[in-house]
């Protein structure tokens, strides 16, 4: 049977290649044999062109059936033999929420590999496992996967930093394309899964995310934010997309005209858009944009959202919204058809209508889940994402044949954390276990470096006891302190603590109930095989010191935004024996139990004792993935938890060969650690999945030379960052492209155990036209004595532009492997089109004539070689303000934001306050200008616009316009003022008094 299937697939592949080369796959399918088979319906016939099959099926569906296909949970249509279908399998860095599966490093770690080929392999492995789970649970696990995340990491405080691929759109675009291609598979027609890019657009803050607006002027929009999505969609690697929760310039993202105007019309072919969970109802509840759910559904569908994710599996509620919209003429059947027409092609391409004989992925089964092959790939990926931040005096690698002791210290040394979008770890290797595998057991000394405490109940006068079984309540009945009465107290900063019982080494938790037990192997969310999730964490406690010196425990239950559950629970002690610990929501401050703390072991002193006689001290620190930063929670600061910084300093004070292993979801500001002379090396890993400890130990002891690179800038302190809601990377001087300060570690930084020489940089031409490309070639030689990877990076810089351009901009990278004394030649193809910027005066990308630095090096700051390239593009013409000009197409500004012009149109300049201004530079006027006309709206009558030349405050005042009260910020009127003696070339400033909104202006 298998041979027959393989034969049929071989025939299909040969014929499909012929079709692809003659007609194109989008408009044609292929005959599976020379003998025509009779099909009940044309849409079942794989020999027909795809668009014909889609139209045939669409024509057979009733209106109710078509509407039913617009919810996340699409029901079966038995009369046509159509099975159910659903979107939303999570696959960020492994198949998630489905039980045990291969867990790869966090997504931000995938990008730190700077290895497209490897990440495509990872995506393919994840796609295989999703297919396997789909085969096991076809009703519950869909083939539409919600991954990867391509939101740009422009601020390291953003809660979902771990999910993204970096601060640079080129790197993010290339890594997301590779991951998507792996998820999709390599068949030219059938797809393994349907990759869905998240979250479109300008989403990089968690606080108030359901109602906040990201202000993106045209250059930030086109040169930065859109670019990260463009690569994967244009290449056809990604086949779906999810809008973000936030607004873009005042308009909710799932209503953005960019979805239709740019994504679907310019970039995509077979492609559908699926809303994020609860985002349709969010238009009513969070954005307060419309009053009814029918309006919300109608506006979303008309804007380009094809599948509505809301009300979980309760599709009937959402379908009623759509039917109400049809009844109220907010939608037409043609609107429904358009959305269904976007969804169906991808369902056909999953093979569901054609059967396993044609579907090349149909045979994938549970044997691939956490297979040996995938375990090896997880290890390779965990190794390649490691970044060596510091290595003074070649402190690393350590000698494996050392006879001395090695101290392993730290709160993350003996545990591996998964994160919000992880699968269940099938096994773990900790850093401690990894180190022990390299040395004899007696050579390794260990300390968690945290206080070990006992807690005595004020109510009972007895100590809190945990059970070795872990599944019964903690009680407060012990007369003395033994093993079962001691707990490791982990301080992750910002009043977030974990208690790990020594009775069974599990965490204290009040999961799902009032019962306080020690039954959690790792802090995390709860899950089942069908993917049902709980969004709260129940293991983290505020450890609140009272005035009398006692402590109370309060679990805030960090959770999901739409559960309706607010606040948390204090721990109390029952009044009857056995005196059980209970977490009750009704408890309030003053009624919570007070515990006297006894420090059984001082963690820092123990760590120093272990470290002082060791040859090397390895301190393992970092974040806990679900506490201070994750979905719904932004970071309060970018520093290490203060207790961890102090631990490192205490250890380094007694051991001059201290190695720091940092395991973190995001950058850490730690200049004191970097500058500490006794901290000889710092090795960084994201939370690395099941093979985390193996990879780290391999790097520490030289079995692997770390060569990953940072995908975002690491700052020295939060003071170097603007407000988290500042989305203008140009004016806010964000990311390596515009940051003028001194970084702790620059974008692209990463060391290794050998040295490389860059030489013989050459260009195929030193002068190119705007429609040509240049070949950039460089030789790289490993001049050390250790084999290693090297990541060669290509940057460009416009030496003299008419607008502010990036300090450097990544335009190529290649990870290569070199043996000692080996030389390899690396070649980049650089199209002149990649040097374009968005010309706001003409609303298009332009390649400006000029000279560009071609920079090749090891990071954005470590440039090894440079050449000049002249580009013959175009000269940017003087600006013509005698034509109607959109206010948002400014060259510079102060204070204003971009807002929604109207529900039916795009953008305007708003949130204006007195003293704000906008600039339109290099304007040229002919004689005869006599009138200044503006389109404005206001809710006040104090607005004034001054037109000044060459300076916003002291420049010549040409004319003044008074803005009347139009009784609404989207009630637009035209206002005119006379102009005299305006000619020549000028920078034009519009300066503002009062508050109002400006849409367009014109100098006639």
């Amino acid at each position: 049977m298998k041979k027959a299937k393989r034969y049929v697939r071989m025939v299909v592949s040969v014929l499909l290649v012929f079709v692809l080369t003659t007609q194109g796959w989008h408009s044609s399918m292929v005959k599976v044999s020379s003998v025509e088979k009779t099909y009940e319906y044309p849409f079942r016939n794989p020999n027909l062109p795809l668009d014909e099959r889609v139209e045939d099926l669409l024509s057979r569906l009733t209106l109710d059936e078509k509407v039913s296909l617009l919810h996340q949970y699409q029901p079966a249509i038995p009369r046509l033999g159509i099975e159910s279908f659903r979107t939303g399998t999570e696959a960020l860095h492994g198949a998630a929420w489905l039980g045990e599966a291969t867990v790869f490093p966090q997504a931000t770690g995938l990008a730190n590999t700077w290895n497209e080929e490897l990440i495509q392999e990872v995506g393919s492995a994840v796609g295989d496992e999703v297919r396997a789970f789909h085969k096991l649970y076809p009703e519950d696990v869909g083939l539409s996967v919600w991954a990867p995340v391509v939101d740009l990491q422009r601020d390291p405080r953003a809660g979902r930093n771990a999910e993204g691929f970096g601060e640079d759109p080129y790197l993010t675009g290339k890594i997301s394309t590779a991951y998507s291609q792996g998820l999709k598979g390599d068949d030219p027609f059938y797809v393994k899964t349907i990759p869905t890019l998240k979250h479109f657009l300008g989403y990089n803050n968690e606080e108030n995310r359901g109602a906040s607006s990201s202000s993106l002027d045209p250059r930030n929009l086109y040169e930065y934010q859109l670019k990260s999505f463009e690569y994967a969609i244009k290449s056809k690697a990604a086949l779906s997309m999810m809008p973000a929760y936030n607004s873009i310039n005042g308009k909710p993202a799932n209503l953005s005209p960019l979805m239709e105007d740019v994504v679907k019309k310019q970039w995509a072919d077979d492609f559908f858009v699926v809303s994020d969970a609860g985002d349709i109802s969010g238009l009513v509840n969070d954005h307060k944009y419309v009053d009814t759910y029918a309006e919300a559904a109608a506006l979303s569908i008309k804007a380009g959202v094809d599948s509505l994710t809301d009300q979980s599996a309760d599709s009937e509620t959402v379908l009623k919204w759509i039917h109400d919209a049809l009844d109220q003429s907010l939608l037409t059947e043609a609107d429904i058809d358009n959305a269904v027409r976007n969804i169906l092609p991808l369902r056909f391409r999953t093979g569901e209508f054609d059967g396993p004989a044609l579907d090349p992925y149909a045979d994938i089964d549970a044997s691939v889940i956490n297979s040996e092959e995938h375990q090896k790939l997880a290890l390779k990926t965990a190794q390649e994402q490691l970044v060596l931040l510091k290595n003074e005096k070649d402190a690393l690698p350590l000698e494996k044949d050392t006879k001395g002791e090695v101290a392993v210290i730290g709160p993350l040394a003996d545990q591996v954390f998964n994160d919000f979008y992880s699968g269940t770890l099938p096994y773990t290797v900790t850093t401690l276990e990894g180190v022990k595998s390299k040395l004899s057991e007696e050579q390794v000394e260990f300390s968690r470096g945290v206080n070990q405490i006992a807690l005595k109940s004020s109510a009972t006068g007895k100590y809190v006891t945990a059970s070795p079984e872990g599944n019964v309540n903690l009680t407060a009945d012990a007369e003395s302190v033994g093993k079962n009465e001691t707990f490791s107290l982990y301080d992750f900063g910002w009043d977030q603590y974990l208690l790990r019982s020594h009775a069974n080494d599990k965490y204290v938790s009040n999961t799902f109930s009032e019962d306080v037990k020690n039954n959690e192997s790792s802090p995390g969310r709860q899950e089942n095989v069908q993917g049902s999730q709980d969004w709260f964490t129940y293991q983290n406690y505020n450890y609140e010191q009272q005035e009398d010196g006692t402590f109370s425990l309060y679990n805030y239950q960090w959770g999901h935004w739409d559960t309706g559950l607010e606040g948390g629970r204090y721990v109390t002690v029952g009044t009857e024996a056995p005196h059980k610990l209970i977490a009750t929501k009704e408890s309030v401050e003053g009624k919570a139990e007070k515990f006297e703390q006894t420090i059984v072991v001082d963690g820092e002193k123990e760590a120093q004792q272990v470290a002082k006689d060791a040859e090397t001290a390895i301190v393992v620190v970092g974040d806990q993935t679900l506490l201070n930063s994750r979905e719904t929670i932004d970071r309060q600061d970018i520093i290490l938890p203060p207790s961890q910084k102090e631990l490192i300093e205490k250890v380094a004070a007694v051991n001059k060969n201290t190695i720091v292993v940092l395991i973190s979801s995001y950058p850490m500001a730690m200049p004191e650690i970097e500058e500490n002379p006794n901290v000889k090396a710092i090795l960084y890993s994201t939370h690395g999945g099941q093979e985390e400890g193996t990879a780290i130990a391999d790097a520490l002891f030289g079995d692997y030379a770390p060569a990953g690179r940072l995908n975002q800038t690491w700052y020295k302190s939060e003071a170097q960052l603007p407000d988290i809601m500042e989305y203008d990377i140009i004016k806010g001087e964000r990311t390596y492209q515009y940051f003028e300060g001194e970084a702790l570690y620059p974008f692209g930084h990463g060391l290794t155990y050998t040295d490389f020489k860059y030489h013989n940089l050459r260009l195929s031409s030193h002068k190119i036209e705007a429609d040509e490309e240049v070949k950039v070639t460089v030789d790289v030689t490993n001049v050390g004595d250790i084999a290693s990877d090297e990541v060669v990076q290509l940057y460009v810089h416009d030496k003299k532009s008419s607008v502010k351009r990036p300090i450097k901009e990544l335009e190529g990278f290649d990870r290569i492997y070199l043996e000692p004394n080996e030389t390899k030649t690396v070649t980049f193809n650089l199209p002149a089109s990649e040097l374009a910027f968005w010309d706001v005066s003409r609303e298009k990308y332009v390649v400006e004539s000029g000279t560009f630095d071609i920079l090749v090096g090891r990071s954005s700051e470590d440039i090894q070689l440079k050449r000049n390239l002249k580009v013959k593009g175009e000269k940017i013409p003087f600006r013509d303000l005698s034509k109607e000009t959109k206010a948002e197409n400014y060259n510079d500004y102060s204070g204003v934001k971009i807002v929604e012009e109207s529900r039916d149109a795009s953008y305007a300049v708003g949130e204006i306050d007195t003293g704000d201004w906008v600039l339109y530079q290099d304007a040229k006027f002919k004689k005869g200008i006599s009138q200044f006309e503006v389109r404005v709206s206001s809710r006040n009558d104090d607005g004034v616009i001054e037109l000044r030349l060459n300076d916003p405050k002291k420049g010549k005042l040409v004319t003044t316009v008074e803005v009347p009260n139009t009784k609404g910020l989207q009630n637009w009127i035209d206002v005119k003022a006379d102009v005299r003696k305006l000619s020549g070339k000028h920078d034009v400033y519009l300066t503002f008094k009062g508050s109002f909104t400006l849409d367009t202006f014109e100098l006639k």
Side-chain angles (χ1 to χ4, degrees):
M1 186 66 180
K2 288 185 177 180
K3 288 183 178 179
K5 286 183 180 180
R6 283 198 294 268
Y7 176 75
V8 171
R9 289 174 187 159
M10 180 182 71
V11 173
V12 169
S13 297
V14 171
L15 291 173
L16 192 52
V17 168
F18 172 75
V19 172
L20 286 169
T21 56
T22 57
Q23 298 180 32
W25 68 262
H26 180 66
S27 62
S28 179
M29 268 298 291
V30 55
K31 296 184 186 298
V32 297
S33 73
S34 60
V35 179
E36 286 291 347
K37 178 180 175 181
T38 300
Y39 296 92
E40 184 177 4
Y41 304 108
F43 76 82
R44 290 285 183 185
N45 186 352
N47 303 313
L48 293 177
L50 177 60
D51 52 2
E52 287 186 23
R53 300 179 73 188
V54 169
E55 291 304 318
D56 176 71
L57 176 52
L58 189 62
S59 71
R60 297 177 188 280
L61 298 172
T62 67
L63 177 58
D64 285 350
E65 288 169 341
K66 287 186 284 190
V67 169
S68 75
L69 300 182
L70 301 191
H71 188 252
Q72 178 187 15
Y73 290 82
Q74 301 175 26
I77 304 175
R79 70 181 186 86
L80 295 175
I82 297 174
E83 302 295 330
S84 63
F85 181 88
R86 64 163 291 188
T87 67
T89 299
E90 299 291 355
L92 184 63
H93 55 108
W97 307 1
L98 301 173
E100 288 188 359
T102 309
V103 178
F104 294 93
Q106 291 177 301
T108 190
L110 300 183
N112 283 345
T113 68
W114 292 57
N115 188 336
E116 296 172 76
E117 183 177 345
L118 174 65
I119 301 311
Q120 185 167 334
E121 288 183 49
V122 173
S124 181
V126 175
D128 284 346
E129 297 200 13
V130 170
R131 272 278 178 165
F133 279 113
H134 175 68
K135 195 164 192 172
L136 289 171
Y137 312 108
E139 295 292 321
D140 299 308
V141 180
L143 297 179
S144 167
V145 296
W146 287 354
V149 171
V150 295
D151 302 316
L152 291 165
Q153 298 170 331
R154 40 117 236 166
D155 194 305
R157 293 167 295 196
R160 301 181 77 167
N161 192 89
E163 299 179 37
F165 289 145
E167 69 183 22
D168 180 76
Y170 181 87
L171 177 64
T172 295
K174 292 295 185 179
I175 297 297
S176 63
T177 299
Y179 193 73
S180 297
Q181 187 62 51
L183 287 170
K184 188 183 78 166
D186 55 9
D187 188 88
F189 179 78
Y190 291 104
V191 297
K192 188 185 299 184
T193 68
I194 302 170
T196 300
L197 302 184
K198 302 193 297 187
H199 307 83
F200 189 87
L201 188 71
Y203 171 38
N204 195 221
N205 63 278
E206 293 304 297
E207 185 176 353
N208 197 34
R209 65 177 183 170
S212 65
S213 180
S214 304
S215 181
L216 302 172
D217 65 24
R219 288 196 60 207
N220 280 276
L221 181 65
Y222 285 94
E223 295 176 23
Y224 189 63
Q225 293 287 348
L226 281 170
K227 282 290 184 183
S228 66
F229 284 83
E230 182 178 359
Y231 292 95
I233 298 174
K234 262 191 171 181
S235 68
K236 319 306 179 191
L239 303 170
S240 179
M241 184 182 78
M242 177 186 288
Y245 284 116
N246 54 276
S247 287
I248 305 167
N249 298 335
K251 190 186 293 290
N254 65 323
L255 304 182
S256 172
L258 295 167
M259 291 190 296
E260 285 286 348
D261 295 345
V262 176
V263 176
K264 289 184 176 179
K265 291 181 180 177
Q266 297 181 31
W267 295 349
D269 287 330
D270 289 344
F271 194 86
F272 71 90
V273 174
V274 54
S275 75
D276 207 340
D279 211 13
I280 306 303
S281 53
L283 292 179
V284 178
N285 303 331
D286 300 318
H287 289 286
K288 315 293 183 186
Y289 193 79
V290 291
D291 297 325
T292 69
Y293 300 119
E295 292 175 278
L299 286 176
S300 297
I301 291 169
K302 291 175 78 71
V305 176
D306 306 303
S307 177
L308 311 188
T309 310
D310 217 310
Q311 308 302 304
S312 298
D314 177 16
S315 59
E316 290 305 312
T317 297
V318 178
L319 301 185
K320 185 179 184 303
W321 300 344
I322 300 173
H323 282 295
D324 288 346
L326 286 164
D327 293 342
Q328 297 168 31
S329 299
L330 300 174
L331 283 174
T332 66
E333 187 168 359
D335 295 321
I336 306 300
D337 288 349
N338 187 55
V340 175
R341 193 176 279 115
N342 288 329
I343 296 169
L344 287 179
L346 276 307
R347 288 192 61 173
F348 276 97
R349 292 181 63 191
T350 63
E352 71 165 285
F353 298 119
D354 297 342
L358 294 180
D359 181 358
Y361 309 111
D363 289 339
I364 298 174
D365 60 25
S367 65
V368 304
I369 299 173
N370 191 39
S371 64
E372 183 178 353
E373 180 184 357
H374 289 183
Q375 291 173 10
K376 290 178 180 178
L377 183 60
L379 173 58
K380 179 177 174 61
T381 310
Q383 290 172 332
E384 290 208 15
Q385 59 89 38
L386 293 172
V387 183
L388 185 60
L389 299 174
K390 175 183 179 180
N391 196 25
E392 293 294 323
K393 298 182 179 179
D394 294 328
L396 292 179
L398 302 174
E399 296 291 338
K400 282 187 289 186
D401 57 359
T402 178
K403 302 302 181 183
E405 287 187 352
V406 173
V408 180
I409 298 163
L412 273 69
D414 67 333
Q415 55 189 332
V416 174
F417 294 138
N418 58 4
D419 65 20
F420 217 47
Y421 285 97
S422 289
T424 301
L425 288 157
Y427 64 88
T428 61
V429 181
T430 68
T431 301
L432 176 62
E433 291 168 335
V435 171
K436 284 184 174 181
S437 72
K438 306 295 183 183
L439 303 170
S440 63
E441 187 172 344
E442 60 271 14
Q443 285 181 279
V444 181
E445 295 291 329
F446 170 61
S447 168
R448 287 176 179 165
V450 301
N451 287 344
Q452 299 173 30
I453 65 168
L455 296 173
K456 180 190 285 188
S457 164
S458 296
T460 68
K462 306 292 178 63
Y463 290 98
V464 173
T465 297
S467 72
E469 294 79 16
N471 57 358
V472 296
N473 278 70
L474 274 66
T475 59
D477 293 312
E479 296 286 349
S480 60
V481 177
K483 178 180 179 181
N484 292 352
E485 287 72 45
T486 58
F487 303 84
S488 287
L489 180 66
Y490 291 87
D491 176 6
F492 282 97
W494 302 277
D495 208 16
Q496 293 293 298
Y497 292 83
L498 299 172
L499 286 162
R500 192 174 180 184
S501 164
H502 292 179
N504 62 358
D505 238 11
K506 293 188 176 182
Y507 285 95
V508 174
S509 173
N510 50 276
T511 306
F512 289 148
S513 70
E514 296 181 346
D515 300 333
V516 179
K517 303 176 181 180
N518 54 304
N519 59 351
E520 295 291 333
S521 298
S522 178
R525 52 191 303 186
Q526 304 303 303
E527 64 182 55
N528 60 34
V529 171
Q530 285 72 38
S532 175
Q533 293 293 311
D534 180 66
W535 284 74
F536 290 105
T537 55
Y538 300 86
Q539 302 83 21
N540 51 306
Y541 293 92
N542 293 1
Y543 194 57
E544 299 177 353
Q545 187 165 13
Q546 308 301 312
E547 291 182 2
D548 60 2
T550 62
F551 293 85
S552 294
L553 295 172
Y554 176 74
N555 170 232
Y556 182 73
Q557 297 179 343
W558 292 108
H560 202 240
W561 74 98
D562 65 355
T563 57
L565 297 175
E566 296 180 357
R569 300 178 179 187
Y570 275 101
V571 173
T572 63
V573 173
T575 57
E576 298 180 2
H579 297 90
K580 297 180 179 180
L581 270 62
I582 304 293
T584 58
K585 190 169 184 181
E586 291 72 24
S587 296
V588 294
E589 192 171 5
K591 295 182 180 180
E593 179 60 6
K594 295 181 178 181
F595 298 97
E596 297 178 24
Q597 173 186 270
T598 298
I599 297 178
V600 180
V601 175
D602 183 306
E604 288 182 354
K605 288 182 179 179
E606 181 192 63
Q608 285 190 309
Q609 185 66 34
V610 168
K612 70 176 185 178
D613 295 325
E615 187 175 280
T616 301
I618 301 169
V619 187
V620 189
V621 296
D623 72 304
Q624 207 295 318
T625 55
L626 299 177
L627 298 191
N628 294 306
S629 175
R630 64 163 217 215
E631 185 169 1
T632 74
I633 308 168
D634 289 318
R635 295 169 73 187
Q636 296 181 46
D637 204 333
I638 63 173
I639 60 174
L640 270 173
S643 64
Q644 295 186 11
K645 173 177 172 290
E646 186 174 342
L647 175 65
I648 295 169
E649 291 173 339
K650 292 283 188 181
V651 170
V654 299
N655 190 302
K656 295 184 178 181
N657 193 34
T658 295
I659 310 297
V660 171
V661 174
L662 173 66
I663 304 172
S664 175
S665 306
Y666 34 69
M668 292 290 190
M670 48 183 196
E672 302 90 348
I673 306 304
E674 161 64 27
E675 295 164 7
N676 190 314
N678 289 350
V679 174
K680 293 297 192 296
I682 304 173
L683 180 66
Y684 166 58
S685 172
T686 61
H687 292 275
Q690 59 204 53
E691 291 286 353
E692 175 182 287
T694 307
I696 289 171
D698 285 348
L700 291 175
F701 288 92
D703 292 317
Y704 176 79
R709 302 299 168 90
L710 297 179
N711 62 10
Q712 59 189 130
T713 303
W714 287 38
Y715 299 93
K716 290 186 174 181
S717 77
E718 189 181 30
Q720 292 181 310
L721 294 167
D723 186 272
I724 193 171
M725 288 307 298
E726 175 57 84
Y727 272 81
D728 186 341
I729 69 162
I730 303 173
K731 199 169 187 68
E733 296 184 352
R734 283 190 179 277
T735 81
Y736 81 98
Q737 291 191 9
Y738 292 98
F739 179 59
E740 297 279 3
E742 183 179 350
L744 178 64
Y745 303 114
F747 174 81
H749 172 72
L751 309 174
T752 190
Y753 296 155
T754 190
D755 293 318
F756 296 94
K757 178 184 178 182
Y758 284 64
H759 52 106
N760 197 20
L761 175 62
R762 56 239 188 238
L763 308 181
S764 59
S765 175
H766 289 275
K767 186 175 183 180
I768 60 172
E769 303 284 337
D771 59 352
E772 296 177 338
E773 69 176 29
V774 63
K775 185 177 293 186
V776 181
T777 307
V778 65
D779 295 332
V780 182
T781 302
N782 182 346
V783 295
D785 55 6
I786 295 176
S788 175
D789 289 352
E790 170 71 341
V791 180
V792 183
Q793 302 168 40
L794 170 68
Y795 295 88
V796 299
H797 169 67
D798 192 341
K799 299 186 73 169
K800 185 178 181 181
S801 175
S802 59
V803 298
K804 186 176 181 179
R805 298 295 305 278
I807 300 167
K808 296 184 187 75
E809 193 169 5
L810 183 70
E811 291 295 351
F813 60 90
D814 192 9
R815 182 165 180 151
I816 58 174
Y817 175 81
L818 292 168
E819 293 285 350
N821 300 314
E822 183 181 7
T823 297
K824 284 187 178 178
T825 299
V826 177
T827 300
F828 302 103
N829 292 316
L830 177 63
S833 58
E834 288 294 310
L835 307 176
F837 67 89
W838 185 259
D839 181 8
V840 293
S841 66
R842 292 175 291 168
E843 297 187 302
K844 68 173 186 176
Y845 289 106
V846 299
V847 177
E848 186 177 19
S849 291
T851 302
F852 292 79
D853 288 326
I854 305 300
L855 310 164
V856 175
R858 309 192 69 241
S859 79
S860 60
E861 291 297 318
D862 188 359
I863 299 301
Q864 298 287 308
L865 298 170
K866 179 172 73 172
R867 294 289 183 270
N868 286 339
L869 173 69
K870 290 187 177 181
V871 177
K872 186 179 179 182
E874 59 179 298
K875 179 178 173 60
I876 306 302
F878 288 105
R879 194 156 193 167
D880 184 1
L881 299 181
S882 66
K883 299 177 180 178
E884 183 179 83
T885 299
K886 294 178 182 178
E888 68 267 23
N889 283 330
Y890 49 64
N891 296 100
D892 197 4
Y893 67 98
S894 176
V896 303
K897 299 290 184 184
I898 308 297
V899 298
E900 181 187 59
E901 177 190 344
S902 72
R903 291 187 179 179
D904 298 323
S906 54
Y907 312 126
V909 169
E911 297 190 28
I912 291 170
D913 202 356
T914 297
D916 293 349
W917 51 262
V918 287
L919 163 66
Y920 307 88
Q921 68 184 29
D922 295 332
K924 185 176 183 180
F925 300 100
K926 296 180 181 178
K927 293 181 179 180
I929 296 292
S930 61
Q931 194 175 73
F932 179 44
E933 182 176 319
V934 295
R935 187 169 185 252
V936 292
S937 63
S938 178
R939 289 184 298 206
N940 305 293
D941 54 9
D942 61 348
V944 175
I945 301 175
E946 296 179 344
L947 192 157
R948 293 182 177 270
L949 302 181
N950 305 321
D951 187 273
K953 295 181 179 179
K954 300 179 181 179
K956 177 183 177 182
L957 179 61
V958 175
T959 192
T960 300
V961 173
E962 294 186 359
V963 179
N965 186 344
T966 68
K967 304 189 185 306
L969 292 179
Q970 292 188 357
N971 295 330
W972 299 98
I973 65 168
D974 294 326
V975 182
K976 303 175 182 178
D978 292 336
V979 174
R980 296 181 182 178
K981 297 181 179 179
L982 181 59
S983 62
K985 304 170 186 175
H986 301 280
D987 288 343
V988 173
Y989 288 87
L990 304 184
T991 63
F992 307 127
K993 297 178 182 177
S995 59
F996 51 92
T997 304
L998 172 64
D999 180 26
T1000 62
F1001 68 93
E1002 186 175 355
L1003 284 155
K1004 297 183 177 181

